[in-house]
Amino acid sequence: MDNQELPPALEQALGGFGRYLEGERARSAHTLRAYLSDLRSLLEYAASEGIIELPGLELGTLRRWLGAQNQAGMSRSTLARRSATARSFTAWAMREDLIGTDPALRLRAPRREKSLPGVLQSQQLTRLLGGLAEAAAEGAPLPVRNRAMVELLYATGLRVGELAGMDVDDLNPDRRTLRVIGKGNKERTVPYGVPAAVAVDDWLRRGRPMLAKEHSGTALFLGSRGNRVDQRQVRAVVKDVFEALGDTSATGPHALRHSAATHLLDGGADLRAVQEILGHSSLATTQIYTHVSVDRLRKSYQQAHPRA
């Protein structure tokens, strides 16, 4: 759909806010496009109500704008983002003296829906990892690498970017721990088990030397040309093994992270220990996995108890 023509004052404000985001806030191109699309939607709605200058923008207009999108079926997460865009825009307009009062101060976004993460069952993981081990047994370097990457993702709950950024020196094979540089450049130490240790050792002995080049440096996992593996390649590997599994809707590495966290808690691990392993800055983020465990417990109870 083509953008509607805005009144000159509103178009000028849209451009000014875009320059602010791009310059002072150093937003990414993707975020910039999303924010400006949100703001254009708001200003087009305001124009449809006869508003031609920013001082005419009122709280009621903002609420009706969000309400119209809610009725159109827009997701809560998108509505929450658009509400945040509106608040950022009006706060900027106040600082620029384009408006005298901030109409978005009392604007409330709908709460984001908290979806429970998808979790692979233990028997699914046994089949998945068993298939990778069979492929690796033939000795080709990429299957050996793929097995090691997936074993390590599940064993540690690493984010895909953390896995791709690992160096050989980050491993401590004697203690079966690895050093991870996570979000916010925060460092943590994560343990891993014997199956992952076996797979990684196999990669280091048999697979990596076959792919390593002079430019490979100390990268733990390499692509077919000897470069450090990137996140896209890891995601493609995980997508393929999930598709081969056949009985899961999981598609990406984050499903392995979800599974690792949930299985740790199901096995009795302390919530704060799981927080440390996953690198969550807030315990509240980790607590979503307790909801997964309680939900599974409730389903098991309802299926098994005669008076559930």
Side-chain angles (χ1 to χ4, degrees):
M1 182 182 295
D2 294 335
N3 291 328
Q4 299 176 21
E5 184 174 348
L6 292 173
L10 300 188
E11 188 71 55
Q12 186 176 1
L14 176 66
F17 187 62
R19 289 188 293 275
Y20 160 71
L21 292 176
E22 190 172 14
E24 296 186 35
R25 297 294 297 276
R27 297 287 186 177
S28 69
H30 175 77
T31 301
L32 183 64
R33 284 194 300 269
Y35 272 40
L36 293 183
S37 174
D38 293 344
L39 181 55
R40 177 169 284 278
S41 171
L42 167 59
L43 296 180
E44 287 178 352
Y45 185 89
S48 74
E49 291 195 341
I51 297 171
I52 60 174
E53 294 184 342
L54 279 190
L57 195 61
E58 298 178 345
L59 177 61
T61 301
L62 300 178
R63 286 175 170 169
R64 288 189 294 275
W65 169 62
L66 290 176
Q69 293 170 87
N70 184 40
Q71 290 181 351
M74 191 163 288
S75 70
R76 287 188 183 183
S77 60
T78 301
L79 288 173
R81 189 197 70 214
R82 291 201 157 190
S83 178
T85 299
R87 290 194 297 272
S88 296
F89 171 67
T90 56
W92 167 82
M94 278 283 293
R95 292 193 298 272
E96 295 294 315
D97 293 326
L98 299 177
I99 54 177
T101 58
D102 189 342
L105 284 177
R106 292 189 291 127
L107 184 66
R108 293 290 178 266
R111 290 187 176 183
R112 291 177 182 264
E113 296 172 321
K114 286 189 175 180
S115 57
L116 297 178
V119 176
L120 291 167
Q121 303 300 316
S122 58
Q123 62 268 27
Q124 290 177 308
L125 282 159
T126 298
R127 287 193 287 115
L128 184 153
L129 296 170
L132 287 170
E134 289 180 8
E138 298 180 6
L142 291 182
V144 175
R145 180 204 67 184
N146 295 347
R147 176 199 178 197
M149 290 196 306
V150 175
E151 281 277 12
L152 207 55
L153 283 170
Y154 174 58
T156 61
L158 289 178
R159 301 178 179 96
V160 62
E162 294 170 345
L163 180 86
M166 285 193 62
D167 291 330
V168 175
D169 294 342
D170 291 329
L171 293 169
N172 186 333
D174 294 333
R175 301 184 64 183
R176 290 208 305 273
T177 60
L178 50 86
R179 185 176 69 99
V180 185
I181 305 299
K183 287 186 175 181
N185 210 32
K186 293 180 180 178
E187 181 178 323
R188 68 186 191 275
T189 299
V190 181
Y192 56 93
V194 173
V198 171
V200 171
D201 179 67
D202 190 32
W203 158 246
L204 291 175
R205 286 188 301 102
R206 292 197 303 155
R208 192 181 185 281
M210 297 174 67
L211 297 180
K213 302 287 191 297
E214 289 184 3
H215 61 268
S216 298
T218 59
L220 176 58
F221 292 113
L222 306 175
S224 58
R225 297 182 180 179
N227 298 315
R228 179 185 295 275
V229 73
D230 61 34
Q231 294 188 36
R232 177 186 54 80
Q233 292 169 305
V234 180
R235 293 181 191 282
V237 168
V238 176
K239 180 176 182 290
D240 287 346
V241 297
F242 282 161
E243 288 180 352
L245 195 60
D247 58 353
T248 178
S249 59
T251 58
H254 228 64
L256 293 170
R257 180 170 164 88
H258 294 327
S259 300
T262 303
H263 294 166
L264 281 168
L265 289 167
D266 283 347
D270 178 75
L271 186 64
R272 288 199 177 274
V274 176
Q275 176 191 5
E276 179 66 23
I277 289 171
L278 297 180
H280 287 154
S281 58
S282 169
L283 191 64
T285 307
T286 316
Q287 284 177 325
I288 189 172
Y289 299 105
T290 66
H291 303 328
V292 177
S293 298
V294 169
D295 186 56
R296 291 173 61 190
L297 181 63
R298 184 182 297 110
K299 288 180 180 178
S300 298
Y301 176 85
Q302 290 173 343
Q303 291 173 358
H305 199 287
R307 295 179 71 84

Short mmCIF file of all heavy atoms in Angstrom, two decimals, residues 162-221:
data_model
loop_
_atom_site.label_atom_id
_atom_site.label_comp_id
_atom_site.label_asym_id
_atom_site.label_seq_id
_atom_site.Cartn_x
_atom_site.Cartn_y
_atom_site.Cartn_z
N GLU A 162 26.78 -16.71 20.57
CA GLU A 162 27.84 -17.08 21.52
C GLU A 162 28.62 -18.28 21.00
O GLU A 162 29.84 -18.33 21.11
CB GLU A 162 27.23 -17.37 22.89
CG GLU A 162 26.61 -16.15 23.54
CD GLU A 162 25.80 -16.47 24.78
OE1 GLU A 162 25.47 -17.66 24.99
OE2 GLU A 162 25.48 -15.54 25.54
N LEU A 163 27.90 -19.25 20.44
CA LEU A 163 28.57 -20.43 19.89
C LEU A 163 29.48 -20.04 18.72
O LEU A 163 30.63 -20.45 18.65
CB LEU A 163 27.54 -21.46 19.42
CG LEU A 163 28.14 -22.73 18.83
CD1 LEU A 163 28.45 -23.73 19.95
CD2 LEU A 163 27.22 -23.37 17.81
N ALA A 164 28.95 -19.24 17.80
CA ALA A 164 29.72 -18.84 16.63
C ALA A 164 30.96 -18.04 17.02
O ALA A 164 31.98 -18.10 16.33
CB ALA A 164 28.84 -18.04 15.67
N GLY A 165 30.90 -17.29 18.11
CA GLY A 165 32.02 -16.45 18.51
C GLY A 165 33.07 -17.15 19.35
O GLY A 165 34.08 -16.53 19.70
N MET A 166 32.88 -18.41 19.64
CA MET A 166 33.82 -19.11 20.53
C MET A 166 35.15 -19.41 19.84
O MET A 166 35.20 -19.69 18.65
CB MET A 166 33.21 -20.42 21.04
CG MET A 166 32.16 -20.24 22.10
SD MET A 166 31.77 -21.82 22.89
CE MET A 166 33.38 -22.20 23.60
N ASP A 167 36.22 -19.35 20.63
CA ASP A 167 37.55 -19.75 20.19
C ASP A 167 37.95 -21.05 20.87
O ASP A 167 37.39 -21.43 21.91
CB ASP A 167 38.57 -18.67 20.54
CG ASP A 167 38.39 -17.39 19.72
OD1 ASP A 167 37.93 -17.50 18.57
OD2 ASP A 167 38.71 -16.31 20.25
N VAL A 168 38.93 -21.72 20.29
CA VAL A 168 39.42 -22.98 20.86
C VAL A 168 39.88 -22.76 22.30
O VAL A 168 39.64 -23.59 23.18
CB VAL A 168 40.57 -23.55 20.01
CG1 VAL A 168 41.17 -24.79 20.67
CG2 VAL A 168 40.07 -23.88 18.60
N ASP A 169 40.52 -21.63 22.55
CA ASP A 169 41.05 -21.34 23.88
C ASP A 169 39.96 -21.12 24.92
O ASP A 169 40.25 -21.07 26.12
CB ASP A 169 41.97 -20.12 23.83
CG ASP A 169 43.22 -20.36 23.01
OD1 ASP A 169 43.55 -21.54 22.78
OD2 ASP A 169 43.86 -19.38 22.60
N ASP A 170 38.72 -20.95 24.49
CA ASP A 170 37.62 -20.77 25.44
C ASP A 170 37.23 -22.08 26.12
O ASP A 170 36.49 -22.06 27.10
CB ASP A 170 36.40 -20.18 24.73
CG ASP A 170 36.63 -18.74 24.29
OD1 ASP A 170 37.38 -18.03 24.98
OD2 ASP A 170 36.06 -18.33 23.26
N LEU A 171 37.70 -23.19 25.58
CA LEU A 171 37.39 -24.50 26.14
C LEU A 171 38.38 -24.86 27.24
O LEU A 171 39.58 -24.61 27.12
CB LEU A 171 37.44 -25.58 25.06
CG LEU A 171 36.39 -25.54 23.95
CD1 LEU A 171 36.78 -26.51 22.85
CD2 LEU A 171 35.01 -25.87 24.49
N ASN A 172 37.87 -25.49 28.29
CA ASN A 172 38.72 -26.08 29.31
C ASN A 172 38.34 -27.57 29.38
O ASN A 172 37.47 -27.96 30.18
CB ASN A 172 38.51 -25.41 30.67
CG ASN A 172 39.49 -25.92 31.72
OD1 ASN A 172 39.97 -27.05 31.66
ND2 ASN A 172 39.79 -25.08 32.70
N PRO A 173 38.95 -28.40 28.53
CA PRO A 173 38.54 -29.81 28.45
C PRO A 173 38.71 -30.57 29.76
O PRO A 173 37.93 -31.48 30.05
CB PRO A 173 39.46 -30.37 27.35
CG PRO A 173 39.94 -29.19 26.59
CD PRO A 173 40.01 -28.08 27.58
N ASP A 174 39.72 -30.23 30.54
CA ASP A 174 39.95 -30.96 31.78
C ASP A 174 38.80 -30.77 32.77
O ASP A 174 38.41 -31.71 33.45
CB ASP A 174 41.26 -30.49 32.43
CG ASP A 174 42.48 -30.85 31.59
OD1 ASP A 174 42.40 -31.85 30.84
OD2 ASP A 174 43.49 -30.13 31.68
N ARG A 175 38.26 -29.56 32.82
CA ARG A 175 37.17 -29.28 33.75
C ARG A 175 35.80 -29.37 33.07
O ARG A 175 34.77 -29.23 33.71
CB ARG A 175 37.34 -27.90 34.37
CG ARG A 175 38.66 -27.72 35.12
CD ARG A 175 38.73 -26.36 35.79
NE ARG A 175 37.69 -26.22 36.82
CZ ARG A 175 37.49 -25.10 37.51
NH1 ARG A 175 38.25 -24.04 37.27
NH2 ARG A 175 36.56 -25.03 38.42
N ARG A 176 35.82 -29.57 31.75
CA ARG A 176 34.59 -29.59 30.94
C ARG A 176 33.77 -28.31 31.19
O ARG A 176 32.59 -28.36 31.52
CB ARG A 176 33.76 -30.84 31.20
CG ARG A 176 34.38 -32.12 30.68
CD ARG A 176 33.33 -33.18 30.34
NE ARG A 176 32.44 -33.47 31.43
CZ ARG A 176 32.68 -34.38 32.39
NH1 ARG A 176 33.79 -35.09 32.35
NH2 ARG A 176 31.81 -34.58 33.35
N THR A 177 34.42 -27.19 31.00
CA THR A 177 33.76 -25.89 31.07
C THR A 177 34.20 -25.06 29.88
O THR A 177 35.22 -25.35 29.24
CB THR A 177 34.11 -25.12 32.36
OG1 THR A 177 35.52 -24.89 32.40
CG2 THR A 177 33.68 -25.89 33.60
N LEU A 178 33.43 -24.06 29.58
CA LEU A 178 33.81 -23.13 28.51
C LEU A 178 33.54 -21.71 28.96
O LEU A 178 32.65 -21.44 29.77
CB LEU A 178 33.09 -23.46 27.20
CG LEU A 178 31.58 -23.65 27.20
CD1 LEU A 178 30.87 -22.31 27.05
CD2 LEU A 178 31.17 -24.59 26.08
N ARG A 179 34.33 -20.81 28.42
CA ARG A 179 34.19 -19.39 28.71
C ARG A 179 33.35 -18.74 27.62
O ARG A 179 33.61 -18.93 26.43
CB ARG A 179 35.57 -18.72 28.76
CG ARG A 179 35.57 -17.26 29.16
CD ARG A 179 37.01 -16.76 29.27
NE ARG A 179 37.62 -16.71 27.96
CZ ARG A 179 37.74 -15.59 27.23
NH1 ARG A 179 37.27 -14.45 27.70
NH2 ARG A 179 38.33 -15.61 26.05
N VAL A 180 32.32 -18.01 28.03
CA VAL A 180 31.39 -17.43 27.07
C VAL A 180 31.36 -15.92 27.26
O VAL A 180 31.28 -15.43 28.39
CB VAL A 180 29.96 -17.99 27.28
CG1 VAL A 180 29.02 -17.46 26.20
CG2 VAL A 180 29.97 -19.51 27.27
N ILE A 181 31.41 -15.20 26.15
CA ILE A 181 31.19 -13.76 26.16
C ILE A 181 29.77 -13.53 25.67
O ILE A 181 29.47 -13.73 24.50
CB ILE A 181 32.20 -13.00 25.28
CG1 ILE A 181 33.63 -13.36 25.68
CG2 ILE A 181 31.96 -11.50 25.38
CD1 ILE A 181 33.99 -13.01 27.09
N GLY A 182 28.88 -13.14 26.58
CA GLY A 182 27.46 -13.03 26.26
C GLY A 182 27.03 -11.62 25.97
O GLY A 182 27.84 -10.74 25.63
N LYS A 183 25.73 -11.37 26.12
CA LYS A 183 25.17 -10.04 25.87
C LYS A 183 25.79 -9.02 26.82
O LYS A 183 26.08 -9.32 27.96
CB LYS A 183 23.65 -10.07 26.07
CG LYS A 183 22.89 -10.80 24.96
CD LYS A 183 21.40 -10.66 25.16
CE LYS A 183 20.63 -11.28 24.00
NZ LYS A 183 19.16 -11.14 24.18
N GLY A 184 25.99 -7.82 26.31
CA GLY A 184 26.60 -6.78 27.12
C GLY A 184 28.06 -7.05 27.40
O GLY A 184 28.64 -6.49 28.33
N ASN A 185 28.68 -7.93 26.60
CA ASN A 185 30.09 -8.28 26.76
C ASN A 185 30.39 -8.88 28.14
O ASN A 185 31.50 -8.78 28.65
CB ASN A 185 30.98 -7.05 26.54
CG ASN A 185 32.35 -7.42 25.99
OD1 ASN A 185 32.49 -8.40 25.25
ND2 ASN A 185 33.36 -6.66 26.35
N LYS A 186 29.35 -9.52 28.72
CA LYS A 186 29.52 -10.15 30.03
C LYS A 186 30.08 -11.56 29.86
O LYS A 186 29.64 -12.32 29.01
CB LYS A 186 28.18 -10.21 30.77
CG LYS A 186 27.64 -8.84 31.16
CD LYS A 186 26.32 -8.96 31.87
CE LYS A 186 25.77 -7.60 32.27
NZ LYS A 186 24.45 -7.71 32.93
N GLU A 187 31.04 -11.87 30.69
CA GLU A 187 31.70 -13.18 30.62
C GLU A 187 31.11 -14.12 31.67
O GLU A 187 30.83 -13.71 32.80
CB GLU A 187 33.21 -13.01 30.85
CG GLU A 187 33.99 -14.31 30.78
CD GLU A 187 35.48 -14.11 30.96
OE1 GLU A 187 36.00 -13.08 30.47
OE2 GLU A 187 36.13 -14.96 31.61
N ARG A 188 30.94 -15.38 31.28
CA ARG A 188 30.48 -16.38 32.24
C ARG A 188 31.14 -17.71 31.91
O ARG A 188 31.65 -17.91 30.80
CB ARG A 188 28.96 -16.53 32.22
CG ARG A 188 28.36 -17.12 30.95
CD ARG A 188 26.85 -17.07 31.00
NE ARG A 188 26.21 -17.83 29.94
CZ ARG A 188 25.97 -17.39 28.73
NH1 ARG A 188 26.35 -16.16 28.39
NH2 ARG A 188 25.36 -18.15 27.81
N THR A 189 31.16 -18.62 32.87
CA THR A 189 31.71 -19.96 32.69
C THR A 189 30.56 -20.96 32.73
O THR A 189 29.73 -20.92 33.64
CB THR A 189 32.72 -20.29 33.79
OG1 THR A 189 33.80 -19.34 33.73
CG2 THR A 189 33.29 -21.70 33.61
N VAL A 190 30.51 -21.83 31.73
CA VAL A 190 29.40 -22.77 31.59
C VAL A 190 29.95 -24.20 31.53
O VAL A 190 30.88 -24.47 30.77
CB VAL A 190 28.59 -22.47 30.31
CG1 VAL A 190 27.42 -23.43 30.17
CG2 VAL A 190 28.09 -21.02 30.32
N PRO A 191 29.39 -25.11 32.31
CA PRO A 191 29.83 -26.51 32.24
C PRO A 191 29.15 -27.24 31.09
O PRO A 191 28.11 -26.82 30.59
CB PRO A 191 29.36 -27.08 33.59
CG PRO A 191 28.14 -26.28 33.91
CD PRO A 191 28.39 -24.89 33.37
N TYR A 192 29.75 -28.34 30.65
CA TYR A 192 29.10 -29.20 29.67
C TYR A 192 29.44 -30.65 30.02
O TYR A 192 30.39 -30.94 30.73
CB TYR A 192 29.52 -28.86 28.23
CG TYR A 192 31.00 -28.88 27.95
CD1 TYR A 192 31.63 -30.02 27.44
CD2 TYR A 192 31.78 -27.74 28.14
CE1 TYR A 192 32.99 -30.04 27.16
CE2 TYR A 192 33.14 -27.74 27.86
CZ TYR A 192 33.74 -28.89 27.37
OH TYR A 192 35.09 -28.90 27.09
N GLY A 193 28.63 -31.57 29.49
CA GLY A 193 28.73 -32.96 29.88
C GLY A 193 29.62 -33.80 28.98
O GLY A 193 30.21 -33.31 28.01
N VAL A 194 29.67 -35.09 29.30
CA VAL A 194 30.56 -36.02 28.60
C VAL A 194 30.21 -36.16 27.12
O VAL A 194 31.10 -36.11 26.27
CB VAL A 194 30.55 -37.39 29.29
CG1 VAL A 194 31.32 -38.42 28.47
CG2 VAL A 194 31.16 -37.28 30.69
N PRO A 195 28.92 -36.33 26.73
CA PRO A 195 28.62 -36.47 25.29
C PRO A 195 29.10 -35.27 24.47
O PRO A 195 29.65 -35.45 23.38
CB PRO A 195 27.09 -36.60 25.26
CG PRO A 195 26.74 -37.16 26.59
CD PRO A 195 27.70 -36.52 27.55
N ALA A 196 28.89 -34.06 25.00
CA ALA A 196 29.37 -32.88 24.28
C ALA A 196 30.89 -32.84 24.24
O ALA A 196 31.48 -32.48 23.22
CB ALA A 196 28.83 -31.61 24.94
N ALA A 197 31.53 -33.26 25.35
CA ALA A 197 32.99 -33.28 25.39
C ALA A 197 33.54 -34.24 24.34
O ALA A 197 34.53 -33.94 23.65
CB ALA A 197 33.47 -33.69 26.79
N VAL A 198 32.91 -35.40 24.19
CA VAL A 198 33.35 -36.38 23.20
C VAL A 198 33.20 -35.82 21.79
O VAL A 198 34.10 -35.95 20.94
CB VAL A 198 32.56 -37.69 23.36
CG1 VAL A 198 32.83 -38.64 22.19
CG2 VAL A 198 32.91 -38.37 24.68
N ALA A 199 32.05 -35.18 21.53
CA ALA A 199 31.79 -34.64 20.19
C ALA A 199 32.75 -33.51 19.84
O ALA A 199 33.26 -33.43 18.72
CB ALA A 199 30.35 -34.16 20.10
N VAL A 200 33.02 -32.63 20.81
CA VAL A 200 33.92 -31.51 20.56
C VAL A 200 35.36 -32.00 20.38
O VAL A 200 36.09 -31.52 19.50
CB VAL A 200 33.83 -30.48 21.71
CG1 VAL A 200 34.92 -29.41 21.57
CG2 VAL A 200 32.46 -29.82 21.72
N ASP A 201 35.76 -32.97 21.18
CA ASP A 201 37.10 -33.53 21.05
C ASP A 201 37.28 -34.19 19.68
O ASP A 201 38.32 -34.05 19.03
CB ASP A 201 37.36 -34.56 22.15
CG ASP A 201 38.74 -35.18 22.04
OD1 ASP A 201 39.73 -34.47 22.23
OD2 ASP A 201 38.82 -36.39 21.72
N ASP A 202 36.25 -34.88 19.22
CA ASP A 202 36.29 -35.51 17.90
C ASP A 202 36.45 -34.46 16.81
O ASP A 202 37.22 -34.63 15.85
CB ASP A 202 35.00 -36.31 17.68
CG ASP A 202 35.06 -37.19 16.44
OD1 ASP A 202 36.16 -37.67 16.10
OD2 ASP A 202 34.01 -37.38 15.81
N TRP A 203 35.74 -33.33 16.96
CA TRP A 203 35.85 -32.23 16.00
C TRP A 203 37.25 -31.65 15.98
O TRP A 203 37.83 -31.40 14.93
CB TRP A 203 34.82 -31.16 16.33
CG TRP A 203 35.12 -29.79 15.81
CD1 TRP A 203 35.40 -28.67 16.52
CD2 TRP A 203 35.15 -29.38 14.43
NE1 TRP A 203 35.62 -27.60 15.70
CE2 TRP A 203 35.47 -28.01 14.40
CE3 TRP A 203 34.96 -30.04 13.22
CZ2 TRP A 203 35.59 -27.29 13.22
CZ3 TRP A 203 35.08 -29.32 12.03
CH2 TRP A 203 35.39 -27.96 12.04
N LEU A 204 37.82 -31.45 17.17
CA LEU A 204 39.15 -30.86 17.25
C LEU A 204 40.24 -31.79 16.70
O LEU A 204 41.23 -31.33 16.14
CB LEU A 204 39.47 -30.48 18.70
CG LEU A 204 38.64 -29.31 19.28
CD1 LEU A 204 38.96 -29.12 20.75
CD2 LEU A 204 38.89 -28.02 18.51
N ARG A 205 40.05 -33.09 16.87
CA ARG A 205 41.06 -34.06 16.41
C ARG A 205 40.90 -34.39 14.93
O ARG A 205 41.89 -34.46 14.20
CB ARG A 205 40.95 -35.36 17.22
CG ARG A 205 41.49 -35.27 18.65
CD ARG A 205 41.52 -36.65 19.32
NE ARG A 205 40.20 -37.25 19.37
CZ ARG A 205 39.76 -38.22 18.55
NH1 ARG A 205 40.56 -38.69 17.60
NH2 ARG A 205 38.55 -38.71 18.69
N ARG A 206 39.67 -34.60 14.50
CA ARG A 206 39.46 -35.11 13.13
C ARG A 206 38.90 -34.08 12.16
O ARG A 206 39.30 -34.03 11.00
CB ARG A 206 38.48 -36.28 13.16
CG ARG A 206 39.00 -37.54 13.83
CD ARG A 206 38.13 -38.72 13.41
NE ARG A 206 36.71 -38.50 13.74
CZ ARG A 206 35.70 -39.08 13.10
NH1 ARG A 206 35.94 -39.90 12.08
NH2 ARG A 206 34.46 -38.85 13.47
N GLY A 207 37.96 -33.26 12.64
CA GLY A 207 37.25 -32.38 11.72
C GLY A 207 37.93 -31.06 11.46
O GLY A 207 38.19 -30.68 10.30
N ARG A 208 38.26 -30.35 12.51
CA ARG A 208 38.80 -29.00 12.35
C ARG A 208 40.11 -28.97 11.55
O ARG A 208 40.28 -28.09 10.69
CB ARG A 208 39.00 -28.34 13.72
CG ARG A 208 39.28 -26.84 13.63
CD ARG A 208 39.48 -26.23 15.02
NE ARG A 208 39.64 -24.78 14.94
CZ ARG A 208 40.75 -24.15 14.59
NH1 ARG A 208 41.84 -24.87 14.30
NH2 ARG A 208 40.79 -22.83 14.53
N PRO A 209 41.06 -29.90 11.80
CA PRO A 209 42.30 -29.86 11.02
C PRO A 209 42.08 -29.99 9.51
O PRO A 209 42.89 -29.49 8.72
CB PRO A 209 43.10 -31.05 11.56
CG PRO A 209 42.59 -31.24 12.95
CD PRO A 209 41.13 -30.93 12.86
N MET A 210 40.99 -30.63 9.10
CA MET A 210 40.72 -30.80 7.67
C MET A 210 40.20 -29.52 7.03
O MET A 210 40.29 -29.34 5.81
CB MET A 210 39.71 -31.94 7.46
CG MET A 210 40.23 -33.29 7.93
SD MET A 210 38.95 -34.59 7.82
CE MET A 210 38.75 -34.71 6.04
N LEU A 211 39.64 -28.60 7.84
CA LEU A 211 39.08 -27.37 7.30
C LEU A 211 39.94 -26.14 7.58
O LEU A 211 39.79 -25.11 6.93
CB LEU A 211 37.68 -27.12 7.88
CG LEU A 211 36.60 -28.16 7.55
CD1 LEU A 211 35.28 -27.77 8.21
CD2 LEU A 211 36.40 -28.29 6.04
N ALA A 212 40.83 -26.24 8.56
CA ALA A 212 41.59 -25.07 9.00
C ALA A 212 42.52 -24.56 7.92
O ALA A 212 43.17 -25.33 7.21
CB ALA A 212 42.38 -25.43 10.26
N LYS A 213 42.57 -23.23 7.79
CA LYS A 213 43.47 -22.54 6.86
C LYS A 213 44.29 -21.53 7.67
O LYS A 213 44.10 -21.35 8.86
CB LYS A 213 42.65 -21.82 5.78
CG LYS A 213 41.73 -22.72 4.98
CD LYS A 213 42.50 -23.60 4.02
CE LYS A 213 41.56 -24.31 3.04
NZ LYS A 213 40.61 -25.24 3.66
N GLU A 214 45.19 -20.85 6.98
CA GLU A 214 46.02 -19.87 7.66
C GLU A 214 45.18 -18.76 8.28
O GLU A 214 45.54 -18.20 9.31
CB GLU A 214 47.03 -19.26 6.67
CG GLU A 214 48.13 -20.23 6.24
CD GLU A 214 49.16 -19.56 5.36
OE1 GLU A 214 49.03 -18.33 5.14
OE2 GLU A 214 50.07 -20.24 4.87
N HIS A 215 44.07 -18.45 7.63
CA HIS A 215 43.24 -17.34 8.12
C HIS A 215 42.21 -17.79 9.15
O HIS A 215 41.42 -16.97 9.63
CB HIS A 215 42.51 -16.67 6.94
CG HIS A 215 41.58 -17.59 6.21
ND1 HIS A 215 42.00 -18.32 5.10
CD2 HIS A 215 40.29 -17.93 6.42
CE1 HIS A 215 40.98 -19.05 4.67
NE2 HIS A 215 39.94 -18.83 5.45
N SER A 216 42.20 -19.06 9.53
CA SER A 216 41.19 -19.57 10.46
C SER A 216 41.38 -19.03 11.87
O SER A 216 40.41 -18.93 12.63
CB SER A 216 41.22 -21.10 10.49
OG SER A 216 40.92 -21.65 9.23
N GLY A 217 42.59 -18.71 12.22
CA GLY A 217 42.86 -18.19 13.56
C GLY A 217 42.50 -19.20 14.63
O GLY A 217 42.72 -20.41 14.47
N THR A 218 41.91 -18.71 15.72
CA THR A 218 41.59 -19.59 16.85
C THR A 218 40.11 -19.92 16.92
O THR A 218 39.63 -20.45 17.93
CB THR A 218 42.01 -18.92 18.17
OG1 THR A 218 41.32 -17.66 18.29
CG2 THR A 218 43.51 -18.69 18.22
N ALA A 219 39.35 -19.63 15.85
CA ALA A 219 37.91 -19.90 15.85
C ALA A 219 37.65 -21.37 16.14
O ALA A 219 38.30 -22.25 15.56
CB ALA A 219 37.30 -19.52 14.51
N LEU A 220 36.72 -21.65 17.03
CA LEU A 220 36.42 -23.04 17.38
C LEU A 220 35.76 -23.77 16.22
O LEU A 220 36.21 -24.83 15.80
CB LEU A 220 35.53 -23.09 18.62
CG LEU A 220 35.06 -24.48 19.05
CD1 LEU A 220 36.23 -25.42 19.32
CD2 LEU A 220 34.14 -24.38 20.28
N PHE A 221 34.71 -23.20 15.69
CA PHE A 221 33.97 -23.85 14.60
C PHE A 221 34.21 -23.11 13.29
O PHE A 221 34.14 -21.88 13.23
CB PHE A 221 32.49 -23.92 14.93
CG PHE A 221 32.18 -24.84 16.07
CD1 PHE A 221 31.70 -24.35 17.27
CD2 PHE A 221 32.39 -26.21 15.96
CE1 PHE A 221 31.43 -25.19 18.34
CE2 PHE A 221 32.12 -27.07 17.02
CZ PHE A 221 31.65 -26.56 18.22
#
